[in-house]
Amino acid sequence: MKLIFLGPPGAGKGTLAAKALEILKVPHISTGNIFRAAIAAKSPLGLKVKDILDSGKLVDDETTTGLVKERLSQDDAQKGYILDGFPRTIPQAEALAVFSAVDKVVNFDIPNDSVLERLGGRRTCRKCGYNFHQVFDKPKQEGICDHCGGEVYTRDDDKPDAISKRLEVYRAQTAPLIGFYRERNLLVDVDARPAVDQVVENFKKSLHISS
Ligand code: AMP
């Protein structure tokens, strides 16, 4: 199954993708994770996008689309994928439609207050990208990832100024994708407010997945 996960930052797309890939057995492709890995590796891509990510703005469409096109051409993505954080603009969605046909677009519905609470408390593993929360889902040992032993830190773009910028960018540039995909009969809404296990159930029900 070829899926796009759409929703504001903090809606839980990454967390749900980690669960959904166990069910669907398709790769989880997060453009944010790809950019953060490039920054950690200090690669040319990483050097180019570091300041953009730190400020909460978007990387240009050409760079991002090129990256996703290349990733989707790899063998493991032929049967399906979960795209998390891409597309984020109408031009990205139009470009994607040319090189891959998605089956469904899952829209994670969540009010602003919940997003602010989640992002403000989010702590991320530098190595595997797993998202913890300083109140609701703490790592067993402070600062260390339960899953891979990596360092758990606060992303620069999860700091207050960048959070407001990201939400503004989401509303202006990404939210129009809801209408774009609804018109094409691809959109499925999932209530993202409950705890993660319930969101997984909502997700399975919306996509008629029985396992
Ligand atoms: P995320 O982890 O999805 O919240 O992404 C973190 C940051 O990576 C975003 O705030 C953007 O700076 C950048 N980014 C991720 N995906 C995209 C995209 N599809 N288009 C442009 N920038 C992106």
Side-chain angles (χ1 to χ4, degrees), residues 30-50 52-54 57-68 84-86 88 92 153 157:
S30 154
T31 39
N33 285 353
I34 295 173
F35 289 136
R36 280 184 289 278
I39 291 170
K42 298 194 166 62
S43 70
L45 173 68
L47 296 175
K48 176 170 151 185
V49 301
K50 182 176 186 321
I52 302 174
L53 261 81
D54 286 351
K57 293 181 191 152
L58 292 186
V59 176
D60 67 278
D61 288 336
E62 202 185 329
T63 302
T64 312
T65 303
L67 203 78
V68 173
D84 163 15
F86 181 93
R88 253 178 160 98
Q92 289 180 12
Y153 76 119
D157 62 349

mmCIF file of all heavy atoms in Angstrom, residues 30-50 52-54 57-68 84-86 88 92 153 157:
data_model
loop_
_atom_site.group_PDB
_atom_site.id
_atom_site.type_symbol
_atom_site.label_atom_id
_atom_site.label_comp_id
_atom_site.label_asym_id
_atom_site.label_seq_id
_atom_site.Cartn_x
_atom_site.Cartn_y
_atom_site.Cartn_z
ATOM 1 N N SER A 30 10.623 9.286 5.810
ATOM 2 C CA SER A 30 10.381 10.601 6.413
ATOM 3 C C SER A 30 11.414 11.574 5.874
ATOM 4 O O SER A 30 12.614 11.400 6.096
ATOM 5 C CB SER A 30 10.502 10.486 7.940
ATOM 6 O OG SER A 30 10.876 11.728 8.506
ATOM 7 N N THR A 31 10.948 12.596 5.169
ATOM 8 C CA THR A 31 11.899 13.579 4.616
ATOM 9 C C THR A 31 12.610 14.313 5.757
ATOM 10 O O THR A 31 13.803 14.597 5.662
ATOM 11 C CB THR A 31 11.185 14.565 3.671
ATOM 12 O OG1 THR A 31 9.911 14.894 4.219
ATOM 13 C CG2 THR A 31 11.008 13.978 2.300
ATOM 14 N N GLY A 32 11.888 14.568 6.857
ATOM 15 C CA GLY A 32 12.533 15.218 8.005
ATOM 16 C C GLY A 32 13.689 14.365 8.530
ATOM 17 O O GLY A 32 14.778 14.871 8.806
ATOM 18 N N ASN A 33 13.455 13.043 8.668
ATOM 19 C CA ASN A 33 14.536 12.153 9.151
ATOM 20 C C ASN A 33 15.702 12.133 8.167
ATOM 21 O O ASN A 33 16.868 12.090 8.571
ATOM 22 C CB ASN A 33 14.026 10.718 9.344
ATOM 23 C CG ASN A 33 13.174 10.574 10.601
ATOM 24 O OD1 ASN A 33 13.070 11.509 11.398
ATOM 25 N ND2 ASN A 33 12.554 9.418 10.775
ATOM 26 N N ILE A 34 15.397 12.137 6.872
ATOM 27 C CA ILE A 34 16.468 12.128 5.859
ATOM 28 C C ILE A 34 17.311 13.410 6.009
ATOM 29 O O ILE A 34 18.538 13.362 6.020
ATOM 30 C CB ILE A 34 15.889 12.002 4.431
ATOM 31 C CG1 ILE A 34 15.212 10.641 4.260
ATOM 32 C CG2 ILE A 34 16.995 12.202 3.379
ATOM 33 C CD1 ILE A 34 14.457 10.463 2.939
ATOM 34 N N PHE A 35 16.633 14.543 6.150
ATOM 35 C CA PHE A 35 17.379 15.809 6.304
ATOM 36 C C PHE A 35 18.204 15.803 7.598
ATOM 37 O O PHE A 35 19.355 16.216 7.599
ATOM 38 C CB PHE A 35 16.427 17.011 6.301
ATOM 39 C CG PHE A 35 15.820 17.309 4.957
ATOM 40 C CD1 PHE A 35 14.472 17.607 4.819
ATOM 41 C CD2 PHE A 35 16.608 17.313 3.811
ATOM 42 C CE1 PHE A 35 13.914 17.886 3.577
ATOM 43 C CE2 PHE A 35 16.059 17.601 2.556
ATOM 44 C CZ PHE A 35 14.709 17.879 2.447
ATOM 45 N N ARG A 36 17.600 15.322 8.698
ATOM 46 C CA ARG A 36 18.347 15.342 9.973
ATOM 47 C C ARG A 36 19.555 14.407 9.910
ATOM 48 O O ARG A 36 20.622 14.730 10.438
ATOM 49 C CB ARG A 36 17.424 14.964 11.148
ATOM 50 C CG ARG A 36 16.553 16.134 11.604
ATOM 51 C CD ARG A 36 15.725 15.796 12.825
ATOM 52 N NE ARG A 36 14.654 14.860 12.506
ATOM 53 C CZ ARG A 36 13.483 15.205 11.969
ATOM 54 N NH1 ARG A 36 13.220 16.467 11.706
ATOM 55 N NH2 ARG A 36 12.570 14.301 11.693
ATOM 56 N N ALA A 37 19.417 13.266 9.218
ATOM 57 C CA ALA A 37 20.566 12.354 9.080
ATOM 58 C C ALA A 37 21.664 13.025 8.255
ATOM 59 O O ALA A 37 22.857 12.905 8.562
ATOM 60 C CB ALA A 37 20.113 11.045 8.421
ATOM 61 N N ALA A 38 21.275 13.762 7.214
ATOM 62 C CA ALA A 38 22.263 14.451 6.372
ATOM 63 C C ALA A 38 22.976 15.539 7.181
ATOM 64 O O ALA A 38 24.188 15.742 7.037
ATOM 65 C CB ALA A 38 21.564 15.065 5.154
ATOM 66 N N ILE A 39 22.222 16.199 8.061
ATOM 67 C CA ILE A 39 22.833 17.246 8.899
ATOM 68 C C ILE A 39 23.829 16.601 9.871
ATOM 69 O O ILE A 39 24.960 17.072 10.035
ATOM 70 C CB ILE A 39 21.743 18.031 9.670
ATOM 71 C CG1 ILE A 39 20.918 18.866 8.681
ATOM 72 C CG2 ILE A 39 22.363 18.923 10.742
ATOM 73 C CD1 ILE A 39 19.663 19.499 9.262
ATOM 74 N N ALA A 40 23.421 15.480 10.482
ATOM 75 C CA ALA A 40 24.310 14.797 11.441
ATOM 76 C C ALA A 40 25.587 14.337 10.745
ATOM 77 O O ALA A 40 26.673 14.368 11.314
ATOM 78 C CB ALA A 40 23.570 13.625 12.076
ATOM 79 N N ALA A 41 25.449 13.908 9.474
ATOM 80 C CA ALA A 41 26.614 13.401 8.723
ATOM 81 C C ALA A 41 27.432 14.545 8.116
ATOM 82 O O ALA A 41 28.464 14.300 7.495
ATOM 83 C CB ALA A 41 26.139 12.453 7.628
ATOM 84 N N LYS A 42 26.932 15.774 8.268
ATOM 85 C CA LYS A 42 27.584 16.964 7.674
ATOM 86 C C LYS A 42 27.833 16.781 6.173
ATOM 87 O O LYS A 42 28.869 17.185 5.635
ATOM 88 C CB LYS A 42 28.893 17.286 8.397
ATOM 89 C CG LYS A 42 28.702 17.636 9.870
ATOM 90 C CD LYS A 42 29.980 18.262 10.433
ATOM 91 C CE LYS A 42 29.820 18.945 11.770
ATOM 92 N NZ LYS A 42 29.415 18.155 12.883
ATOM 93 N N SER A 43 26.896 16.128 5.485
ATOM 94 C CA SER A 43 27.019 15.934 4.033
ATOM 95 C C SER A 43 26.670 17.258 3.341
ATOM 96 O O SER A 43 26.122 18.166 3.981
ATOM 97 C CB SER A 43 26.037 14.845 3.572
ATOM 98 O OG SER A 43 24.727 15.347 3.677
ATOM 99 N N PRO A 44 26.966 17.380 2.017
ATOM 100 C CA PRO A 44 26.605 18.622 1.326
ATOM 101 C C PRO A 44 25.119 18.969 1.490
ATOM 102 O O PRO A 44 24.760 20.124 1.717
ATOM 103 C CB PRO A 44 26.959 18.334 -0.139
ATOM 104 C CG PRO A 44 28.029 17.287 -0.061
ATOM 105 C CD PRO A 44 27.711 16.448 1.152
ATOM 106 N N LEU A 45 24.244 17.946 1.404
ATOM 107 C CA LEU A 45 22.814 18.209 1.601
ATOM 108 C C LEU A 45 22.575 18.748 3.015
ATOM 109 O O LEU A 45 21.841 19.718 3.204
ATOM 110 C CB LEU A 45 21.999 16.923 1.381
ATOM 111 C CG LEU A 45 20.509 17.033 1.712
ATOM 112 C CD1 LEU A 45 19.793 17.953 0.730
ATOM 113 C CD2 LEU A 45 19.831 15.655 1.718
ATOM 114 N N GLY A 46 23.211 18.120 3.990
ATOM 115 C CA GLY A 46 23.041 18.533 5.384
ATOM 116 C C GLY A 46 23.467 19.978 5.593
ATOM 117 O O GLY A 46 22.760 20.760 6.249
ATOM 118 N N LEU A 47 24.603 20.340 5.031
ATOM 119 C CA LEU A 47 25.102 21.721 5.199
ATOM 120 C C LEU A 47 24.138 22.716 4.546
ATOM 121 O O LEU A 47 23.888 23.792 5.065
ATOM 122 C CB LEU A 47 26.507 21.861 4.594
ATOM 123 C CG LEU A 47 27.581 21.004 5.296
ATOM 124 C CD1 LEU A 47 28.916 21.112 4.562
ATOM 125 C CD2 LEU A 47 27.746 21.420 6.758
ATOM 126 N N LYS A 48 23.558 22.295 3.413
ATOM 127 C CA LYS A 48 22.646 23.179 2.695
ATOM 128 C C LYS A 48 21.338 23.429 3.475
ATOM 129 O O LYS A 48 20.798 24.519 3.447
ATOM 130 C CB LYS A 48 22.344 22.529 1.339
ATOM 131 C CG LYS A 48 21.334 23.236 0.479
ATOM 132 C CD LYS A 48 21.326 22.629 -0.924
ATOM 133 C CE LYS A 48 19.988 22.741 -1.586
ATOM 134 N NZ LYS A 48 19.931 22.072 -2.887
ATOM 135 N N VAL A 49 20.853 22.375 4.174
ATOM 136 C CA VAL A 49 19.505 22.510 4.768
ATOM 137 C C VAL A 49 19.498 22.813 6.275
ATOM 138 O O VAL A 49 18.444 23.082 6.839
ATOM 139 C CB VAL A 49 18.640 21.239 4.505
ATOM 140 C CG1 VAL A 49 18.509 21.000 3.009
ATOM 141 C CG2 VAL A 49 19.164 20.006 5.220
ATOM 142 N N LYS A 50 20.654 22.790 6.916
ATOM 143 C CA LYS A 50 20.675 22.914 8.390
ATOM 144 C C LYS A 50 19.937 24.165 8.895
ATOM 145 O O LYS A 50 19.058 24.077 9.757
ATOM 146 C CB LYS A 50 22.115 22.901 8.913
ATOM 147 C CG LYS A 50 22.122 22.968 10.431
ATOM 148 C CD LYS A 50 23.479 22.862 11.035
ATOM 149 C CE LYS A 50 23.421 22.795 12.556
ATOM 150 N NZ LYS A 50 22.470 23.608 13.238
ATOM 151 N N ILE A 52 17.810 26.025 7.444
ATOM 152 C CA ILE A 52 16.381 26.019 7.080
ATOM 153 C C ILE A 52 15.605 25.193 8.110
ATOM 154 O O ILE A 52 14.570 25.616 8.621
ATOM 155 C CB ILE A 52 16.180 25.436 5.658
ATOM 156 C CG1 ILE A 52 16.988 26.242 4.635
ATOM 157 C CG2 ILE A 52 14.706 25.384 5.290
ATOM 158 C CD1 ILE A 52 16.970 25.679 3.226
ATOM 159 N N LEU A 53 16.127 24.000 8.430
ATOM 160 C CA LEU A 53 15.420 23.161 9.413
ATOM 161 C C LEU A 53 15.377 23.846 10.772
ATOM 162 O O LEU A 53 14.342 23.846 11.440
ATOM 163 C CB LEU A 53 16.088 21.778 9.542
ATOM 164 C CG LEU A 53 15.381 20.699 8.729
ATOM 165 C CD1 LEU A 53 15.790 20.752 7.273
ATOM 166 C CD2 LEU A 53 15.605 19.320 9.304
ATOM 167 N N ASP A 54 16.500 24.422 11.185
ATOM 168 C CA ASP A 54 16.535 25.050 12.516
ATOM 169 C C ASP A 54 15.506 26.168 12.628
ATOM 170 O O ASP A 54 14.949 26.407 13.692
ATOM 171 C CB ASP A 54 17.938 25.615 12.815
ATOM 172 C CG ASP A 54 18.936 24.503 13.128
ATOM 173 O OD1 ASP A 54 18.494 23.344 13.281
ATOM 174 O OD2 ASP A 54 20.139 24.782 13.208
ATOM 175 N N LYS A 57 11.477 26.665 8.576
ATOM 176 C CA LYS A 57 10.965 26.903 7.207
ATOM 177 C C LYS A 57 11.079 25.627 6.379
ATOM 178 O O LYS A 57 11.635 24.627 6.841
ATOM 179 C CB LYS A 57 11.783 28.019 6.550
ATOM 180 C CG LYS A 57 11.577 29.357 7.217
ATOM 181 C CD LYS A 57 12.383 30.411 6.500
ATOM 182 C CE LYS A 57 12.408 31.703 7.299
ATOM 183 N NZ LYS A 57 13.601 32.482 7.060
ATOM 184 N N LEU A 58 10.618 25.693 5.130
ATOM 185 C CA LEU A 58 10.663 24.506 4.276
ATOM 186 C C LEU A 58 11.884 24.521 3.358
ATOM 187 O O LEU A 58 12.273 25.572 2.836
ATOM 188 C CB LEU A 58 9.414 24.422 3.388
ATOM 189 C CG LEU A 58 8.083 24.145 4.074
ATOM 190 C CD1 LEU A 58 6.988 23.956 3.021
ATOM 191 C CD2 LEU A 58 8.149 22.933 4.983
ATOM 192 N N VAL A 59 12.442 23.353 3.132
ATOM 193 C CA VAL A 59 13.489 23.176 2.127
ATOM 194 C C VAL A 59 12.816 23.350 0.756
ATOM 195 O O VAL A 59 11.616 23.057 0.606
ATOM 196 C CB VAL A 59 14.112 21.762 2.273
ATOM 197 C CG1 VAL A 59 15.133 21.493 1.186
ATOM 198 C CG2 VAL A 59 14.739 21.609 3.666
ATOM 199 N N ASP A 60 13.568 23.818 -0.248
ATOM 200 C CA ASP A 60 12.938 24.098 -1.543
ATOM 201 C C ASP A 60 12.366 22.820 -2.183
ATOM 202 O O ASP A 60 12.849 21.709 -1.936
ATOM 203 C CB ASP A 60 13.954 24.787 -2.486
ATOM 204 C CG ASP A 60 15.076 23.860 -2.865
ATOM 205 O OD1 ASP A 60 16.033 23.722 -2.082
ATOM 206 O OD2 ASP A 60 14.994 23.233 -3.925
ATOM 207 N N ASP A 61 11.335 23.029 -3.004
ATOM 208 C CA ASP A 61 10.605 21.903 -3.603
ATOM 209 C C ASP A 61 11.506 21.020 -4.470
ATOM 210 O O ASP A 61 11.374 19.796 -4.468
ATOM 211 C CB ASP A 61 9.452 22.431 -4.471
ATOM 212 C CG ASP A 61 8.315 22.993 -3.630
ATOM 213 O OD1 ASP A 61 8.188 22.595 -2.456
ATOM 214 O OD2 ASP A 61 7.560 23.828 -4.156
ATOM 215 N N GLU A 62 12.414 21.645 -5.218
ATOM 216 C CA GLU A 62 13.235 20.867 -6.145
ATOM 217 C C GLU A 62 14.140 19.876 -5.402
ATOM 218 O O GLU A 62 14.206 18.688 -5.744
ATOM 219 C CB GLU A 62 14.083 21.837 -6.967
ATOM 220 C CG GLU A 62 14.553 21.251 -8.266
ATOM 221 C CD GLU A 62 15.501 22.207 -8.989
ATOM 222 O OE1 GLU A 62 15.352 23.440 -8.835
ATOM 223 O OE2 GLU A 62 16.395 21.686 -9.670
ATOM 224 N N THR A 63 14.798 20.370 -4.357
ATOM 225 C CA THR A 63 15.688 19.502 -3.573
ATOM 226 C C THR A 63 14.891 18.363 -2.952
ATOM 227 O O THR A 63 15.262 17.187 -3.033
ATOM 228 C CB THR A 63 16.357 20.328 -2.432
ATOM 229 O OG1 THR A 63 17.057 21.409 -3.013
ATOM 230 C CG2 THR A 63 17.274 19.470 -1.590
ATOM 231 N N THR A 64 13.762 18.714 -2.340
ATOM 232 C CA THR A 64 12.982 17.713 -1.599
ATOM 233 C C THR A 64 12.371 16.686 -2.548
ATOM 234 O O THR A 64 12.431 15.478 -2.298
ATOM 235 C CB THR A 64 11.867 18.425 -0.792
ATOM 236 O OG1 THR A 64 12.456 19.514 -0.102
ATOM 237 C CG2 THR A 64 11.234 17.484 0.188
ATOM 238 N N THR A 65 11.841 17.161 -3.652
ATOM 239 C CA THR A 65 11.199 16.244 -4.600
ATOM 240 C C THR A 65 12.235 15.305 -5.223
ATOM 241 O O THR A 65 11.978 14.101 -5.375
ATOM 242 C CB THR A 65 10.464 17.060 -5.691
ATOM 243 O OG1 THR A 65 9.532 17.913 -5.045
ATOM 244 C CG2 THR A 65 9.726 16.170 -6.652
ATOM 245 N N GLY A 66 13.412 15.844 -5.543
ATOM 246 C CA GLY A 66 14.484 15.022 -6.123
ATOM 247 C C GLY A 66 14.880 13.886 -5.178
ATOM 248 O O GLY A 66 15.055 12.734 -5.583
ATOM 249 N N LEU A 67 14.941 14.245 -3.907
ATOM 250 C CA LEU A 67 15.323 13.271 -2.880
ATOM 251 C C LEU A 67 14.295 12.139 -2.775
ATOM 252 O O LEU A 67 14.630 10.953 -2.715
ATOM 253 C CB LEU A 67 15.341 14.053 -1.560
ATOM 254 C CG LEU A 67 16.145 13.569 -0.420
ATOM 255 C CD1 LEU A 67 17.600 13.924 -0.691
ATOM 256 C CD2 LEU A 67 15.694 14.324 0.854
ATOM 257 N N VAL A 68 13.023 12.522 -2.795
ATOM 258 C CA VAL A 68 11.957 11.520 -2.649
ATOM 259 C C VAL A 68 11.866 10.652 -3.910
ATOM 260 O O VAL A 68 11.698 9.431 -3.835
ATOM 261 C CB VAL A 68 10.598 12.207 -2.335
ATOM 262 C CG1 VAL A 68 9.458 11.204 -2.355
ATOM 263 C CG2 VAL A 68 10.671 12.905 -0.981
ATOM 264 N N ASP A 84 6.065 10.244 5.062
ATOM 265 C CA ASP A 84 5.764 11.040 6.257
ATOM 266 C C ASP A 84 6.474 12.390 6.129
ATOM 267 O O ASP A 84 7.692 12.442 6.112
ATOM 268 C CB ASP A 84 6.260 10.217 7.464
ATOM 269 C CG ASP A 84 6.418 11.006 8.745
ATOM 270 O OD1 ASP A 84 5.902 12.120 8.826
ATOM 271 O OD2 ASP A 84 7.063 10.465 9.666
ATOM 272 N N GLY A 85 5.692 13.446 5.972
ATOM 273 C CA GLY A 85 6.293 14.782 5.838
ATOM 274 C C GLY A 85 6.513 15.192 4.389
ATOM 275 O O GLY A 85 7.092 16.232 4.122
ATOM 276 N N PHE A 86 6.054 14.396 3.484
ATOM 277 C CA PHE A 86 6.113 14.724 2.045
ATOM 278 C C PHE A 86 4.854 14.172 1.391
ATOM 279 O O PHE A 86 4.496 13.027 1.676
ATOM 280 C CB PHE A 86 7.344 14.093 1.395
ATOM 281 C CG PHE A 86 7.458 14.432 -0.089
ATOM 282 C CD1 PHE A 86 8.202 15.510 -0.508
ATOM 283 C CD2 PHE A 86 6.781 13.669 -1.050
ATOM 284 C CE1 PHE A 86 8.292 15.834 -1.858
ATOM 285 C CE2 PHE A 86 6.852 13.999 -2.395
ATOM 286 C CZ PHE A 86 7.619 15.074 -2.796
ATOM 287 N N ARG A 88 4.601 18.489 1.095
ATOM 288 C CA ARG A 88 4.242 19.554 2.027
ATOM 289 C C ARG A 88 3.786 20.805 1.289
ATOM 290 O O ARG A 88 3.449 21.796 1.937
ATOM 291 C CB ARG A 88 5.468 19.904 2.854
ATOM 292 C CG ARG A 88 5.407 19.410 4.299
ATOM 293 C CD ARG A 88 6.703 19.798 4.920
ATOM 294 N NE ARG A 88 6.748 19.866 6.331
ATOM 295 C CZ ARG A 88 7.221 18.897 7.112
ATOM 296 N NH1 ARG A 88 7.555 17.737 6.623
ATOM 297 N NH2 ARG A 88 7.338 19.106 8.402
ATOM 298 N N GLN A 92 4.926 20.057 -4.718
ATOM 299 C CA GLN A 92 5.476 18.727 -4.384
ATOM 300 C C GLN A 92 4.449 17.633 -4.680
ATOM 301 O O GLN A 92 4.794 16.565 -5.201
ATOM 302 C CB GLN A 92 5.879 18.663 -2.905
ATOM 303 C CG GLN A 92 7.116 19.479 -2.549
ATOM 304 C CD GLN A 92 7.498 19.395 -1.074
ATOM 305 O OE1 GLN A 92 6.982 18.558 -0.322
ATOM 306 N NE2 GLN A 92 8.405 20.254 -0.652
ATOM 307 N N TYR A 153 17.303 13.956 22.532
ATOM 308 C CA TYR A 153 17.530 15.398 22.638
ATOM 309 C C TYR A 153 16.282 16.170 22.195
ATOM 310 O O TYR A 153 15.321 15.585 21.687
ATOM 311 C CB TYR A 153 18.748 15.802 21.784
ATOM 312 C CG TYR A 153 18.467 15.839 20.283
ATOM 313 C CD1 TYR A 153 18.610 17.031 19.572
ATOM 314 C CD2 TYR A 153 18.029 14.717 19.584
ATOM 315 C CE1 TYR A 153 18.355 17.090 18.201
ATOM 316 C CE2 TYR A 153 17.769 14.776 18.223
ATOM 317 C CZ TYR A 153 17.931 15.961 17.548
ATOM 318 O OH TYR A 153 17.658 16.021 16.197
ATOM 319 N N ASP A 157 14.095 22.610 16.098
ATOM 320 C CA ASP A 157 12.809 23.083 15.578
ATOM 321 C C ASP A 157 11.643 22.694 16.483
ATOM 322 O O ASP A 157 10.494 22.969 16.161
ATOM 323 C CB ASP A 157 12.593 22.654 14.119
ATOM 324 C CG ASP A 157 12.556 21.159 13.916
ATOM 325 O OD1 ASP A 157 12.904 20.405 14.852
ATOM 326 O OD2 ASP A 157 12.181 20.722 12.822
#
